[in-house]
Amino acid sequence: MAVSTFVVLLMCTWMVHARYGHLQWSNCGSDPRVSMEVIDVTPMPVVMPGDIHLTVQGRFNFNFTGAELHLSIKRHTFLFDLPVPCLNNVGSCTYEISCSGPSLLETMVNENWGGIFKDLGQQLLTMMSTMTDLKSSQCPVPPGSVDLQAYTLHLPAVPTNSILFFLNQGDKSINVRVTEKSTGRTLLCLDFPHT
C-alpha cells in the first residue's frame, strides 16, 4: 500500500499548483491503523521539468494483502468543478494494489503511463529499494512504516501535445482513497484541496 500511495502522491504533486509555500493536505477519514504524519514536497509550486524533494512519514499497523486506490481529480472553473477523466492511467483513475504479482510501479514503468512516467517510475523503484520496511517480499505484507526525508526526484517536462499538458493546467482539488479489497473498508483518505 505504501508504494502505491507514493505513486499517487507524486501524480498529485505535479498537478497541484499551490499558492501556498508548502503542499496543503488533510486526512478525510483514514482507518486508525493507517497514519500519515508528514507529506511535503519542495519546492512548491512544482516546476516541470525540475527536481523536487519528497518527505513522507507514516505507518500502517495491519497485514496488507490487497486494495484499490481511487484517485479523484476535479479541475476548478469559474462556473463549476469539472471531473478530470482517467486517460492512459493518469487522471481520476482506480488502481489495483496487490502484494503479489507486478507492483503498481512496475506496471507504470512497463506501460510508460501518459508517455512520461517510465523514468519517474524507475526513480521511485530505486527510492523504494532504500526503504528497509518496504522491502518485504512476504504476502501478506506485515505492518511497517515509511520515513522518507527530502528524497530528490527529477520530474520530466510535459510535452505540449500531450493530454497531460491539459491535465497539468489550472487549479484542481484531489482526493486519494485506498479501500481494502476484501471488505471495501477505507484504509486511507487524503484531500489535497483547491489551491
Side-chain angles (χ1 to χ4, degrees):
M1 183 178 71
V3 173
S4 305
T5 302
F6 276 121
V7 173
V8 172
L9 290 176
L10 257 296
M11 293 169 74
C12 290
T13 58
W14 68 262
M15 289 187 275
V16 173
H17 294 275
R19 294 184 189 128
Y20 308 105
H22 64 281
L23 183 66
Q24 299 288 310
W25 65 278
S26 63
N27 184 320
C28 51
S30 297
D31 187 295
R33 299 173 297 167
V34 179
S35 173
M36 295 299 288
E37 288 99 26
V38 177
I39 304 171
D40 191 37
V41 176
T42 58
M44 191 54 85
V46 171
V47 176
M48 294 178 71
D51 289 344
I52 63 166
H53 309 287
L54 177 65
T55 298
V56 178
Q57 292 176 316
R59 59 186 157 69
F60 59 100
N61 189 24
F62 63 97
N63 291 320
F64 174 77
T65 55
E68 287 187 337
L69 189 149
H70 311 273
L71 180 60
S72 175
I73 304 168
K74 293 183 180 175
R75 185 175 177 180
H76 297 281
T77 69
F78 67 97
L79 291 176
F80 54 87
D81 292 346
L82 181 66
V84 174
C86 182
L87 302 167
N88 199 6
N89 288 309
V90 179
S92 297
C93 303
T94 296
Y95 307 96
E96 294 285 327
I97 308 168
S98 176
C99 62
S100 61
S103 72
L104 193 58
L105 284 174
E106 291 166 334
T107 303
M108 175 194 282
V109 169
N110 293 336
E111 297 177 0
N112 193 23
W113 295 354
I116 66 167
F117 279 99
K118 183 174 187 169
D119 180 63
L120 184 58
Q122 280 297 154
Q123 291 179 67
L124 289 167
L125 283 169
T126 300
M127 177 187 77
M128 300 311 288
S129 72
T130 68
M131 303 176 74
T132 55
D133 275 9
L134 302 177
K135 286 184 178 179
S136 173
S137 58
Q138 292 177 274
C139 193
V141 177
S145 62
V146 175
D147 187 6
L148 187 68
Q149 298 295 322
Y151 191 90
T152 301
L153 294 165
H154 180 72
L155 300 182
V158 179
T160 56
N161 63 348
S162 165
I163 189 64
L164 296 180
F165 185 79
F166 167 76
L167 293 178
N168 197 30
Q169 304 301 307
D171 293 329
K172 286 166 281 305
S173 60
I174 301 170
N175 174 264
V176 178
R177 192 168 50 91
V178 178
T179 57
E180 194 168 36
K181 187 89 168 149
S182 59
T183 65
R185 180 178 182 173
T186 296
L187 298 173
L188 177 70
C189 185
L190 301 173
D191 278 327
F192 297 83
H194 167 62
T195 56

